[in-house]
């Protein structure tokens, strides 16, 4: 545990030195939210104010894009020789990966707070009470933790930081074929199956229901199952991948 805490501090310091990437991860979701609300929002009928509809999707887009930086930093470590130094100090792979993941969670928590702040400035007015807000925070943190650990796995697989950056594309793409920005019913019929059952959709529906103080329904447990499954698989996979890369 102490090794993981020390390495979390190291990962945070590395983020401060790579400030442009951190700012991009924070500002891009804000820019996308403004584009969707002000450019497209007037033409999309969602049955509610569009800014209220779109904020949950932007939250997941923000978390996914921010966590993608974890893949790049892990690959930097794996290819830069620092891992040999850590292994000589008897520091395990789990602590090294956990340090990067914890730093990702901290970065994403700040970015999420910024996106919420901008959303309130442009008219976001949720109906959630204190318990609903706690549930929203819990779901977002669980998703950020799961996706950050998955991003670390991509960093262990990639052979260069440029290749690791490809994880950004996956996380940028996934919210679009979901209920994040438009209702699934408005999409082509052949896309309904994927859009309705991919991991992002139940998370968005859960956050939207909590923020609007509506029944969560089946989306709640589906979101928890998706996040828990991704987290368990990513932790196990990262251990296997780290051992293979460092043998």
């Amino acid at each position: 545990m102490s090794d993981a805490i020390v390495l979390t501090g190291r990962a945070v310091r590395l983020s401060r030195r790579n400030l442009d990437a951190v700012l991009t991860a924070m500002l891009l979701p804000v820019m996308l939210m403004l584009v969707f609300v002000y450019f497209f929002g007037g033409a999309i009928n969602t049955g509610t104010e569009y800014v209220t509809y779109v904020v949950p999707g932007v939250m997941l887009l923000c978390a996914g894009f921010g966590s993608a930086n974890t893949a790049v930093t892990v690959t930097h470590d794996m290819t830069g020789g620092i891992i040999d130094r850590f292994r000589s100090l008897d520091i395990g792979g789990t602590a090294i990966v956990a340090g990067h993941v914890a730093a990702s969670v901290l970065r994403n928590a700040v970015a999420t707070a910024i996106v919420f702040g901008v959303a309130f400035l442009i008219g976001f007015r949720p109906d959630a009470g204190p318990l609903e807000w706690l549930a929203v925070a819990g779901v977002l943190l669980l998703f950020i933790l799961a996706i950050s650990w998955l991003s670390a796995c991509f960093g262990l697989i990639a052979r260069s930081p440029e290749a690791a950056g490809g994880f950004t594309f996956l996380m940028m793409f996934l919210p679009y074929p979901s209920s994040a920005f438009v209702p699934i019913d408005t999409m082509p019929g052949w896309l309904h199956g994927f859009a309705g059952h991919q991991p992002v959709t139940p998370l968005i529906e859960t956050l939207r229901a909590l923020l609007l103080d509506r029944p969560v329904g089946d989306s709640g447990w589906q979101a928890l199952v998706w996040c828990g499954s991704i987290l368990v698989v990513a932790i196990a996979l990262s251990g296997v991948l780290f051992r293979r890369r460092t043998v």
Side-chain angles (χ1 to χ4, degrees):
M1 179 62 77
S2 60
D3 290 341
I5 293 173
V6 172
L7 290 168
T8 298
R10 171 183 174 268
V12 171
R13 290 192 293 276
L14 289 174
S15 298
R16 289 167 55 188
R17 295 174 188 171
N18 194 16
L19 195 58
D20 54 344
V22 175
L23 289 176
T24 300
M26 292 181 179
L27 294 179
L28 185 61
V30 172
M31 298 295 292
L32 286 174
M33 180 172 63
L34 296 177
V35 167
F36 272 99
V37 171
Y38 289 116
F39 291 3
F40 307 133
I44 301 174
N45 182 15
T46 60
T48 182
E49 289 290 328
Y50 188 68
V51 64
T52 302
Y53 180 87
V54 81
V55 163
V58 174
M59 290 293 111
L60 297 197
L61 189 68
C62 174
F65 192 72
S67 67
N69 192 45
T70 306
V72 177
T73 55
V74 169
T75 303
H76 265 297
D77 276 1
M78 300 304 295
T79 57
I82 191 65
I83 295 299
D84 293 334
R85 175 63 174 159
F86 287 152
R87 296 300 296 270
S88 70
L89 297 173
D90 196 26
I91 298 175
T94 300
I96 295 170
V97 175
H100 284 290
V101 171
S104 174
V105 172
L106 293 174
R107 288 194 305 269
N108 275 284
V110 174
T112 301
I114 291 174
V115 173
F116 265 125
V118 175
F120 275 106
L121 289 176
I122 63 175
F124 178 55
R125 298 293 182 269
D127 299 319
L131 290 179
E132 284 82 5
W133 275 110
L134 282 175
V136 167
V139 171
L140 280 174
L141 284 175
L142 182 60
F143 175 71
I144 291 170
L145 179 63
I147 208 69
S148 295
W149 215 295
L150 183 63
S151 178
C153 290
F154 274 82
L156 292 169
I157 294 172
R159 298 294 174 176
S160 69
E162 291 78 11
F167 188 68
T168 303
F169 173 78
L170 173 64
M171 297 316 303
M172 286 289 291
F173 170 79
L174 204 55
Y176 289 96
S178 75
S179 62
F181 304 111
V182 298
I184 292 176
D185 292 343
T186 64
M187 299 178 183
W190 56 267
L191 195 55
H192 287 183
F194 175 77
H197 298 90
Q198 61 135 313
V200 166
T201 297
L203 280 158
I204 291 171
E205 293 301 323
T206 299
L207 293 174
R208 189 171 285 144
L210 290 169
L211 290 169
L212 298 179
D213 195 20
R214 295 175 179 172
V216 174
D218 293 338
S219 297
W221 66 262
Q222 291 175 7
L224 294 178
V225 168
W226 271 114
C227 289
S229 301
I230 292 172
L231 182 60
V232 170
V233 171
I235 291 174
L237 186 60
S238 66
V240 174
L241 291 171
F242 189 88
R243 283 193 294 273
R244 287 188 176 183
R245 289 290 300 271
T246 56
V247 168

